């Protein structure tokens, strides 16, 4: 993973094997860089501020990144970071979401917005050619269970990845799966 990070930062054009790892469009050219900083829980290990193992990949990844930096794998100096927020970037993103007007419908903006500090749940669900609403609903409910949350009690943001053609049949099946996966939320007239 550390080698992939180094390649993602230093190789242009981006190797084909790395393109699918990006959640957004890759940055074509990085331009002039004076130095790099690391953040999150992994950053704590890169800077040597943490030595405990929390049972995830943070310690191993942070130490692997630091070894590569020390070996000169990156052409920029490591700059000091004041704080690293002590959570992985993924962990931090699970508690942050920004809504876009281009992809959202807000029925009552003055009542429903702003929404802050929503936990983001991203169920393990792949949009197949034919979307199975029951399978999507199970994935949503299983994700609530995995995070010790009770569906319908608190507010969360649900993040799902869409792949493929947005045909009516697929969108309808997708919506039915969400409706059944968030049945209590809908019953209690909470926003989705």
């Amino acid at each position: 993973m550390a080698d992939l990070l180094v390649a993602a930062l230093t190789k242009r054009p981006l190797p084909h094997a790395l393109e699918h790892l990006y959640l957004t469009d890759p940055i074509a050219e990085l331009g002039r860089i004076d130095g790099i900083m690391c953040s999150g829980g992994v950053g704590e290990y890169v800077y040597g501020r943490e030595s405990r193992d929390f049972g995830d990949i943070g310690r191993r990844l942070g130490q692997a990144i630091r070894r590569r930096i020390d070996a000169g794998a990156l052409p920029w100096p490591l700059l000091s970071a004041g704080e690293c927020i002590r959570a992985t970037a993924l962990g931090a993103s699970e508690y942050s979401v920004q809504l876009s007007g281009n992809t959202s419908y807000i029925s009552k903006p003055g009542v429903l917005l702003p929404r802050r500090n929503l936990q983001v749940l991203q169920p393990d669900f792949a949009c197949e050619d034919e979307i199975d609403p029951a399978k999507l609903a199970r994935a949503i409910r299983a994700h609530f269970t995995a995070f010790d949350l009770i569906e319908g009690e608190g507010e969360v943001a649900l993040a799902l990845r869409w792949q493929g053609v947005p045909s009516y049949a697929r969108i309808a099946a997708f919506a039915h799966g969400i409706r059944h996966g968030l049945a209590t939320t809908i019953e209690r007239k909470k926003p989705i």
Side-chain angles (χ1 to χ4, degrees):
M1 191 178 287
D3 289 332
L4 291 173
L5 175 63
V6 168
L9 292 172
T10 60
K11 305 289 185 200
R12 294 294 181 274
L14 195 63
H16 180 70
L18 293 176
E19 291 175 336
H20 74 282
L21 298 177
Y22 280 81
L23 297 177
T24 61
D25 292 334
I27 299 170
E29 291 298 324
L30 297 177
R32 180 174 168 239
I33 297 176
D34 294 322
I36 60 168
M37 283 190 216
C38 296
S39 66
V42 172
E44 297 288 345
Y45 295 108
V46 170
Y47 290 107
R49 297 178 185 161
E50 182 61 73
S51 60
R52 294 175 292 172
D53 189 336
F54 294 97
D56 58 13
I57 66 168
R59 187 173 103 187
R60 291 188 309 265
L61 179 58
Q63 291 172 347
I65 291 169
R66 182 57 188 249
R67 284 192 302 274
R68 280 150 185 84
I69 291 170
D70 291 344
L74 295 174
W76 314 288
L78 178 63
L79 304 176
S80 177
E83 295 293 331
C84 293
I85 75 168
R86 301 196 57 83
T88 63
L90 179 61
S93 72
E94 288 180 349
Y95 291 92
S96 175
V97 67
Q98 179 175 340
L99 298 178
S100 162
N102 294 331
T103 59
S104 304
Y105 170 73
I106 311 298
S107 58
K108 298 176 185 173
V111 175
L112 296 174
L113 295 177
R115 286 289 194 257
R116 290 185 168 83
N117 300 321
L118 296 179
Q119 182 171 1
V120 180
L121 297 182
Q122 187 173 6
D124 184 21
F125 180 79
C127 294
E128 298 166 351
D129 289 336
E130 188 173 318
I131 295 174
D132 181 348
K135 186 176 175 182
L136 173 54
R138 283 192 302 274
I140 292 169
R141 288 190 298 266
H143 213 63
F144 271 88
T145 300
F147 281 87
D148 289 328
L149 299 172
I150 298 174
E151 188 268 317
E153 284 196 0
E155 292 186 352
V156 300
L158 189 61
L160 295 156
R161 295 180 188 270
W162 181 270
Q163 294 177 338
V165 179
S167 68
Y168 173 80
R170 293 184 81 224
I171 292 172
F174 193 74
H176 287 297
I178 292 172
R179 185 183 76 207
H180 293 300
L182 299 176
T184 306
T185 299
I186 293 168
E187 182 182 299
R188 293 180 180 173
K189 300 188 183 314
K190 291 189 174 188
I192 298 176

